[in-house]
Amino acid sequence: HVFGKTSCVLSLHRYGFRSLRRTTGGRKGSTGWTGQDTNGVSLRRSKRGWMWNQFFLLEEYTGSDQQYVGKLHSDSDRGDGSVKYVLTGEGAGTLFKIDEKSGDIHATKRLDREEKAYYILHAKAVNRFTNQALEGESEFIIKIHDINDNEPRFTKDLYMARVPEMSDIGTSVIQVTATDADDATYGNSAKVVYSILEGQPYFSVDPETGLIKTALPGMDREVKENYQVVIQAKDMAGQMGGLSGTTTVSISLSDVNDNPPRFTKTLYEFRVPESTELGSAVGVIRAMDADIGENAEMDYRIISTDGPGMFDITTNKSKQQGIVMLRKPLDFEKKRQYSLRVQVENVHINPRFFSMGPFKDEATIKIIVEDVDEPPVFERASYVMEVKEDAPRNTVIGSVSASDPDDKNSLVRYSIDRRTDMDRVFNVHAGNGSVFILRELDREEYAWHNISIIATEFNNPRQSSRVPVYVRVLDINDNAPTFATNYETFVCENAKANQRIQTVSATDPDEPLGGHRFFFSLAQEAAGKANFSVRDNKDNTAWILTRRNNYNSLQKSIYHVPVVISDGEFPMQSSTNTLTIRVCTCDREGNMKLCNAEALTARAGLSTGAMVAILLCIIILLMIVVLFAALRRQRKKEPLIISKEDVRDNVVSYNDEGGGEEDTQAFDIGTLRNPEAIEESKQRRDIVPETFYPPIRRPVLPPAQDNNGDVRDFINQRLQDNDSDPTAPPYDSLATYAYEGNGSIAESLSSLESVTTEGDQDYNYLSEWGPRFKKLADMYGGDNSDRDS
């Protein structure tokens, strides 16, 4: 392309020019453009000395040489090399290079229109030596011509679609879309046509829109549910040489209710024990439906049966099963077999497929009742019996009856559940079920008794049943009426005759059928000298009236009025109730002001016996306190003997044998021989002396010729003194003398020397002391010959 003073036409609408023409004039090398604007005003613009058209370049150039773009040339270029061409803008120096001398432009790399469709560059001519611009800078565009180098691409690699089964031909399924990156405005490179490669003859595709439709009627999901359809998109309008892309469409047939439910069998048979509990499942049936989801939902029902109300059928929605339930008890002895006619039907029926029905089915269920050993059955669910409270023992108040429902008809034995009759008030005859009482009844204590009677098979005690029995105790008039409460009645000293001072009523634990009717009267023994009267009001109350004027509390402060109350039942019961009336000082209005002490005590409810009991309790408490204090005082007495070396009376503590007569360190034997040497007022040292019991003085016996006799008398005297001393402890009733020594006049008291005189001793008396001394008698009570051997 050589640009100079050649004519060319440019699209300059953006400058507001409607028509252009070229003119030549002015200085050399310049051109100009003239024209009019939209308002008719003449315009003139000077033209550059050089210009050119847009350049076009093919994309994806595969030649070995650099692709030639075009040539720049200025009229100022004389060919002497003084003109230098400069290129700037997008890709200048990298993608596009210019020959500074010749102005030739080349593309250095392969270009892709899909990456960039055009490039904007600027060119100018300058003096090589002075670098001055010979022409003003101008802008030009290099456009990339498109070639078909991109195949169509679908928006998804895999499409998922659903269409109802049994759809009509032409039912839309899904629309697929493919795009081509080539230029849609240039040729057919981007014009895409759709076709189906796999999936015929079931589906078809619109070549222009890519809409997939059903192409075959009556496609059944139960036969085939999933289809794989391959769609091709090809550019160049589908012509030879065009590029193509493919995608896969997974099409599933959705279910419709086009299949009725069907039972797998026409007859179902179940065996049920007669002891089956109510509400239990007897059997399960199921019909099959080729549909799925809500189209397979079904409902079961009984349409006929020879046992109305005996059975019911419910539908298990999760498993689509029919569950036969027991509604009434079974009895093998009454009916051994039942027959049911059941029906199953779809819940959701599509009217479009009525012709494929009916959408229901029927079957027969046979239920066989099996015999089991049942417990006895009472004739009634409960029994109510009545008995009068005065009935004697062993009175029969009623009977119960139970029988074995089985064919063998076993005998039944009756008994009472003692957990319901802990007091053993009732009993039942084991054979005939008669109920009788074992003890007297009292309606006022228990008006009803609830017991349970057990019936047990005689041949099989494990089979038993029980029935509640309610026993009502009927009332008889066996209680006398009494005052309804404890009345606190007083009469004023200034009371007038026939003045009402109290209204009394009565109560009776009996319950007559017609209600209570009480009669009040004054006791006969008090009628002659009565100070008060009783008036029956005929409404189960009575008034206590005064019979004289003025009462003196100093003369008599309390009156006891005996009131007889009787009932109107048979046999009539009556009782005498004492009304205590106190005489009090009152004001003019009759309000009590003061009563005497005796009356106040009586009002408080403390009788003389009660006061005596209180005083006795106080005295006993005082005695307990005194005794406790005495015991504590006794414990505080401290013994005088502190160490084991101290002497208790005449007891000497020693740890070795004495030395005979010469040993006088421990004890002086002369004391035993001369009783006169004993201190007359010598006190015990193991307790604190008390002055309550002075020591007993006994006359000193004259010395005897026999020294041993003196010792014996001395010991006896001391023994008597200790026995008569009330302050001496029990262990001090015997005095022990621990003196030892060879040659002693008192001789040895030890048993160590007993072996020397054992032969002279007779121990046969030990055998007479009982079994406790048998061991000792065997050791010492044998014959001499035994001991010698």
Side-chain angles (χ1 to χ4, degrees):
H1 302 274
V2 179
F3 297 88
K5 292 181 179 179
T6 58
S7 67
C8 63
V9 180
L10 302 177
S11 178
L12 299 176
H13 293 287
R14 58 175 179 162
Y15 295 105
F17 295 105
R18 291 181 299 177
S19 62
L20 302 174
R21 66 183 180 85
R22 177 175 179 179
T23 62
T24 303
R27 66 181 182 88
K28 182 181 180 181
S30 62
T31 61
W33 297 93
T34 61
Q36 294 178 347
D37 62 7
T38 57
N39 297 323
V41 180
S42 300
L43 298 176
R44 181 178 179 83
R45 179 185 177 193
S46 60
K47 182 179 179 300
R48 297 183 182 87
W50 57 281
M51 64 169 298
W52 56 88
N53 289 328
Q54 293 181 344
F55 296 139
F56 293 91
L57 187 66
L58 290 176
E59 67 170 335
E60 302 296 342
Y61 175 70
T62 58
S64 58
D65 298 332
Q66 291 183 350
Q67 188 176 3
Y68 182 72
V69 179
K71 182 180 180 64
L72 297 180
H73 184 74
S74 175
D75 292 341
S76 301
D77 189 359
R78 302 283 189 248
D80 55 0
S82 61
V83 179
K84 178 182 178 181
Y85 297 96
V86 179
L87 182 66
T88 61
E90 295 177 344
T94 56
L95 296 179
F96 304 101
K97 288 186 178 182
I98 188 172
D99 190 330
E100 296 178 352
K101 294 180 179 182
S102 62
D104 293 331
I105 301 174
H106 291 82
T108 62
K109 296 181 180 180
R110 295 173 58 182
L111 301 179
D112 189 355
R113 189 202 66 83
E114 285 71 35
E115 291 182 2
K116 192 171 180 63
Y118 61 90
Y119 297 86
I120 301 176
L121 294 97
H122 300 85
K124 64 181 178 179
V126 298
N127 188 288
R128 180 181 301 274
F129 305 105
T130 62
N131 205 27
Q132 291 182 354
L134 300 179
E135 299 287 347
E137 184 178 76
S138 296
E139 181 181 274
F140 69 97
I141 297 174
I142 300 178
K143 287 188 175 182
I144 310 301
H145 269 179
D146 183 43
I147 64 173
N148 189 18
D149 60 342
N150 291 279
E151 72 277 3
R153 293 184 179 273
F154 285 93
T155 57
K156 295 181 181 180
D157 294 334
L158 177 64
Y159 289 85
M160 304 292 294
R162 294 180 66 84
V163 64
E165 63 174 333
M166 299 295 176
S167 296
D168 296 331
I169 297 177
T171 302
S172 298
V173 179
I174 192 175
Q175 185 176 12
V176 296
T177 302
T179 59
D180 197 318
D182 294 327
D183 190 0
T185 62
Y186 180 75
N188 294 326
S189 298
K191 188 175 182 179
V192 178
V193 175
Y194 300 94
S195 61
I196 185 169
L197 299 182
E198 295 181 12
Q200 296 173 334
Y202 306 104
F203 301 95
S204 63
V205 63
D206 189 295
E208 295 183 358
T209 61
L211 179 62
I212 300 175
K213 301 178 181 180
T214 58
L216 190 67
M219 288 190 292
D220 193 352
R221 185 199 65 85
E222 288 73 32
V223 177
K224 185 176 182 180
E225 182 177 2
N226 298 313
Y227 295 86
Q228 297 292 329
V229 179
V230 179
I231 302 297
Q232 182 189 65
K234 190 175 183 180
D235 59 12
M236 298 298 292
Q239 298 177 2
M240 294 292 294
L243 302 179
S244 64
T246 60
T247 188
T248 301
V249 182
S250 179
I251 302 176
S252 299
L253 297 183
S254 59
D255 185 56
V256 297
N257 191 9
D258 58 340
N259 293 279
R262 291 290 181 262
F263 282 111
T264 57
K265 296 188 294 185
T266 58
L267 176 64
Y268 295 86
E269 183 175 308
F270 302 108
R271 293 184 174 270
V272 184
E274 62 174 333
S275 60
T276 302
E277 296 182 358
L278 299 182
S280 300
V282 173
V284 178
I285 61 176
R286 182 177 181 182
M288 304 303 294
D289 192 328
D291 297 322
I292 59 175
E294 68 174 12
N295 297 317
E297 291 182 3
M298 56 192 76
D299 186 28
Y300 298 85
R301 65 175 180 270
I302 298 175
I303 58 177
S304 64
T305 177
D306 58 356
M310 290 293 299
F311 303 94
D312 191 11
I313 188 168
T314 60
T315 303
N316 186 335
K317 297 297 184 181
S318 61
K319 298 182 179 180
Q320 299 302 318
Q321 295 175 337
I323 303 175
V324 182
M325 311 292 291
L326 179 64
R327 294 305 180 195
K328 291 183 180 180
L330 298 174
D331 192 345
F332 176 80
E333 289 70 28
K334 292 182 178 180
K335 189 173 179 62
R336 304 185 179 186
Q337 181 175 311
Y338 294 88
S339 178
L340 291 76
R341 188 69 178 172
V342 295
Q343 184 184 79
V344 62
E345 185 177 10
N346 277 134
V347 177
H348 306 283
I349 300 177
N350 193 337
R352 178 186 170 194
F353 303 103
F354 274 158
S355 59
M356 305 179 68
F359 288 85
K360 56 185 177 181
D361 195 13
E362 296 181 1
T364 301
I365 300 177
K366 182 179 180 181
I367 299 176
I368 300 175
V369 181
E370 295 180 341
D371 186 25
V372 296
D373 191 4
E374 299 176 279
V377 178
F378 284 93
E379 292 181 353
R380 303 180 190 174
S382 63
Y383 292 83
V384 178
M385 301 179 183
E386 295 181 347
V387 58
K388 291 185 177 182
E389 60 178 326
D390 62 344
R393 297 181 181 180
N394 298 323
T395 298
V396 176
I397 63 175
S399 63
V400 297
S401 178
S403 60
D404 185 9
D406 298 323
D407 291 341
K408 58 185 180 181
N409 196 15
S410 175
L411 296 178
V412 177
R413 180 169 55 87
Y414 303 94
S415 62
I416 291 182
D417 186 356
R418 289 304 173 187
R419 293 175 296 181
T420 62
D421 185 25
M422 302 293 291
D423 297 333
R424 293 184 174 270
V425 180
F426 304 94
N427 203 355
V428 62
H429 192 281
N432 57 24
S434 299
V435 181
F436 54 93
I437 58 176
L438 296 177
R439 50 184 290 188
E440 290 79 8
L441 303 175
D442 187 359
R443 190 204 63 83
E444 288 69 35
E445 182 180 3
Y446 295 106
W448 286 89
H449 295 268
N450 301 328
I451 61 176
S452 294
I453 295 181
I454 302 174
T456 306
E457 286 188 13
F458 189 81
N459 296 329
N460 187 6
R462 292 178 298 179
Q463 295 295 335
S464 63
S465 59
R466 61 182 62 224
V467 66
V469 178
Y470 308 104
V471 180
R472 179 183 181 185
V473 182
L474 301 178
D475 184 42
I476 63 170
N477 192 26
D478 59 344
N479 292 278
T482 58
F483 277 146
T485 183
N486 292 326
Y487 295 100
E488 296 180 0
T489 307
F490 69 92
V491 61
C492 296
E493 291 182 330
N494 56 356
K496 303 298 182 182
N498 291 325
Q499 179 179 342
R500 184 182 65 181
I501 61 173
Q502 184 68 56
T503 300
V504 296
S505 61
T507 182
D508 191 337
D510 295 325
E511 294 182 356
L513 297 178
H516 290 291
R517 178 67 181 94
F518 300 120
F519 301 93
F520 300 87
S521 63
L522 192 64
Q524 294 294 332
E525 62 270 14
K529 52 181 180 179
N531 294 289
F532 302 90
S533 63
V534 178
R535 178 183 297 177
D536 194 343
N537 296 326
K538 308 300 182 181
D539 60 353
N540 292 337
T541 63
W543 290 351
I544 307 299
L545 306 175
T546 60
R547 297 190 62 178
R548 62 184 177 88
N549 297 329
N550 299 327
Y551 292 85
N552 192 344
S553 62
L554 297 179
Q555 295 178 358
K556 190 171 184 179
S557 60
I558 295 179
Y559 291 89
H560 298 286
V561 180
V563 179
V564 177
I565 307 175
S566 59
D567 56 23
E569 299 299 318
F570 179 83
M572 181 179 292
Q573 300 288 341
S574 64
S575 65
T576 301
N577 300 263
T578 301
L579 180 66
T580 301
I581 303 176
R582 296 180 290 117
V583 180
C584 301
T585 302
C586 303
D587 56 14
R588 293 181 179 181
E589 286 76 15
N591 298 321
M592 182 179 65
K593 296 176 59 178
L594 180 65
C595 289
N596 57 13
E598 182 181 358
L600 291 175
T601 303
R603 180 182 178 185
L606 297 177
S607 62
T608 303
M611 296 296 295
V612 172
I614 293 175
L615 291 176
L616 288 177
C617 292
I618 294 174
I619 293 173
I620 291 174
L621 290 174
L622 291 175
M623 292 178 64
I624 292 175
V625 172
V626 171
L627 181 59
F628 180 74
L631 291 176
R632 289 182 61 85
R633 182 179 179 185
Q634 182 70 22
R635 291 179 180 177
K636 291 181 179 180
K637 293 180 180 181
E638 297 181 358
L640 298 179
I641 300 176
I642 299 176
S643 66
K644 65 181 182 178
E645 297 297 329
D646 291 337
V647 179
R648 181 179 300 233
D649 233 353
N650 285 48
V651 178
V652 179
S653 176
Y654 61 94
N655 295 326
D656 55 356
E657 291 290 338
E661 290 291 339
E662 294 79 7
D663 185 2
T664 58
Q665 297 292 331
F667 186 77
D668 188 5
I669 195 60
T671 303
L672 298 178
R673 295 175 178 172
N674 300 296
E676 298 86 351
I678 305 174
E679 299 180 5
E680 295 182 356
S681 60
K682 187 176 182 180
Q683 300 292 332
R684 296 183 57 176
R685 295 186 296 171
D686 56 345
I687 61 173
V688 178
E690 296 182 357
T691 59
F692 298 106
Y693 300 97
I696 301 176
R697 299 180 180 273
R698 298 182 181 273
V700 180
L701 297 177
Q705 298 298 326
D706 189 1
N707 293 335
N708 293 334
D710 294 339
V711 174
R712 182 170 54 257
D713 295 337
F714 174 77
I715 294 174
N716 291 333
Q717 180 179 347
R718 295 294 302 213
L719 182 60
Q720 292 178 3
D721 293 342
N722 288 324
D723 291 340
S724 60
D725 187 1
T727 62
Y731 58 80
D732 206 24
S733 62
L734 179 64
T736 304
Y737 303 92
Y739 177 76
E740 280 291 326
N742 293 329
S744 174
I745 299 177
E747 298 181 353
S748 176
L749 300 177
S750 174
S751 62
L752 297 176
E753 296 180 357
S754 62
V755 294
T756 58
T757 58
E758 186 178 3
D760 301 330
Q761 299 293 329
D762 185 9
Y763 298 101
N764 293 328
Y765 62 90
L766 294 176
S767 59
E768 301 176 358
W769 287 8
R772 292 187 178 182
F773 296 90
K774 183 176 183 303
K775 184 71 173 179
L776 194 60
D778 294 340
M779 294 175 60
Y780 293 93
D783 296 339
N784 295 334
S785 59
D786 296 338
R787 288 196 300 269
D788 296 340
S789 60

